[in-house]
Amino acid sequence: MVDKNCSPLGSAGSNCFKEAVCIDAGRIFDSCSDKDCLEDLQVYFTDAAQPLIDSALNVKCRKVEVLNVYIDTEPVPFNKGFYSVDMTFFFEVKVEIFSSPIAPPTQASGLAIFSKKVILYGSEGSVRVFSSDAADECLSSNNLPKASVQVVDPICLSSRVCDCPSHRCEPTLNVPAAIAERFEGNFTVTNPSRLILVTLGLFSIVQLERSVQMMVPAYDYCVPDKECVSTSDDPCELFKRIKFPVNEFFPPRLSEMDCDDIPSTDC
């Protein structure tokens, strides 16, 4: 039954219940957040950059970027509804190499790899979904839940260069082609004399979700209630519409600060 106090159908900003509709959405069944300290993670360099590492006296880590995360999901035996999520993180580590006390540093980029596994609840499913918008008409989704990883670029906590022991410097690295294309040279270094170890702080969130049909209340169609403002070719006219940044010139007063920014004795 429609409320008589509701705005007419189609009017913008209506907040009255109209009907219950069924939507297809991804429901998160389980998730976890983690804070990993990756201590003494080896950085691998290509044959173009390894000679710089072999002559390094000191090294400074400048930036670490997450290139990709490879995810593999498998059901846990004898635990229905639970799945193991294997993740392999690929990091690009940018460092400054000091080979002489008086010479300026040289920049180089290397690859660091970290793997971890978590077990989450992803519920059960026994149907195969065929979609008309799939590129292949015979393509269907399996019964595994969808695993996703949210991660920010890690913090480089420390870095050091050290002599390479023979048992750690064997070239056993298998880099995917999509990752190796980001670096100049090949990861086929044999008998390196020195290596770089970094310690990274990593924050991540892992989720397991399934596509489910849910009943939700519908209030109205999303009709914009704001007119578009056309831009002018005159840059000065555009600049006049920008508010003056008062907060950038004057520090905030005590009454304007949040409790998190005030010492506990004053809040």
Side-chain angles (χ1 to χ4, degrees):
M1 183 175 180
V2 179
D3 189 352
K4 296 181 179 180
N5 295 323
C6 290
S7 302
L9 182 63
S11 62
S14 176
N15 58 354
C16 300
F17 175 79
K18 295 297 189 298
E19 60 177 335
V21 297
C22 183
I23 64 170
D24 189 10
R27 176 184 173 183
I28 300 175
F29 281 88
D30 201 2
S31 64
C32 65
S33 61
D34 217 345
K35 183 173 66 174
D36 296 297
C37 184
L38 316 181
E39 189 174 2
D40 287 345
L41 201 63
Q42 181 174 348
V43 183
Y44 299 91
F45 293 89
T46 63
D47 50 5
Q50 185 59 44
L52 298 174
I53 309 303
D54 293 338
S55 60
L57 298 177
N58 196 6
V59 65
K60 182 178 182 180
C61 183
R62 300 296 300 175
K63 184 180 179 181
V64 183
E65 178 183 353
V66 181
L67 296 180
N68 206 340
V69 182
Y70 285 22
I71 307 173
D72 185 28
T73 307
E74 293 183 353
V76 178
F78 310 110
N79 288 272
K80 288 187 177 182
F82 286 87
Y83 299 84
S84 64
V85 182
D86 293 89
M87 296 161 286
T88 303
F89 297 80
F90 293 90
F91 308 108
E92 180 181 4
V93 183
K94 298 181 180 180
V95 297
E96 288 185 347
I97 304 167
F98 298 85
S99 9
S100 172
I102 58 175
T106 305
Q107 296 186 358
S109 296
L111 178 67
I113 303 175
F114 169 68
S115 298
K116 66 178 295 185
K117 174 189 291 188
V118 298
I119 296 179
L120 296 173
Y121 178 75
S123 189
E124 301 179 45
S126 58
V127 297
R128 292 185 178 272
V129 180
F130 294 85
S131 176
S132 61
D133 58 358
D136 188 352
E137 295 181 356
C138 299
L139 183 64
S140 68
S141 62
N142 53 29
N143 298 325
L144 295 176
K146 175 185 175 182
S148 61
V149 180
Q150 302 178 31
V151 59
V152 296
D153 289 338
I155 304 171
C156 190
L157 301 175
S158 68
S159 59
R160 60 191 178 96
V161 59
C162 58
D163 294 331
C164 186
S166 58
H167 68 279
R168 287 200 61 174
C169 293
E170 294 298 328
T172 59
L173 188 64
N174 186 14
V175 182
I179 301 295
E181 292 176 354
R182 298 286 300 266
F183 300 87
E184 180 182 356
N186 301 314
F187 288 96
T188 56
V189 179
T190 57
N191 300 323
S193 59
R194 312 208 81 184
L195 59 84
I196 290 179
L197 303 179
V198 295
T199 299
L200 307 180
L202 181 66
F203 298 92
S204 62
I205 296 178
V206 188
Q207 298 175 337
L208 281 185
E209 67 177 62
R210 285 186 183 273
S211 181
V212 296
Q213 290 73 42
M214 304 179 65
M215 189 73 67
V216 297
Y219 295 93
D220 208 342
Y221 291 106
C222 299
V223 181
D225 56 0
K226 183 177 66 174
E227 294 183 358
C228 297
V229 179
S230 59
T231 59
S232 174
D233 294 334
D234 188 355
C236 291
E237 290 296 329
L238 179 61
F239 180 72
K240 289 179 181 179
R241 290 197 292 265
I242 301 177
K243 294 182 179 180
F244 190 87
V246 180
N247 293 335
E248 299 296 330
F249 289 88
F250 301 97
R253 297 188 298 271
L254 181 62
S255 59
E256 298 175 345
M257 297 180 63
D258 296 332
C259 284
D260 295 338
D261 301 328
I262 305 175
S264 58
T265 57
D266 299 331
C267 188

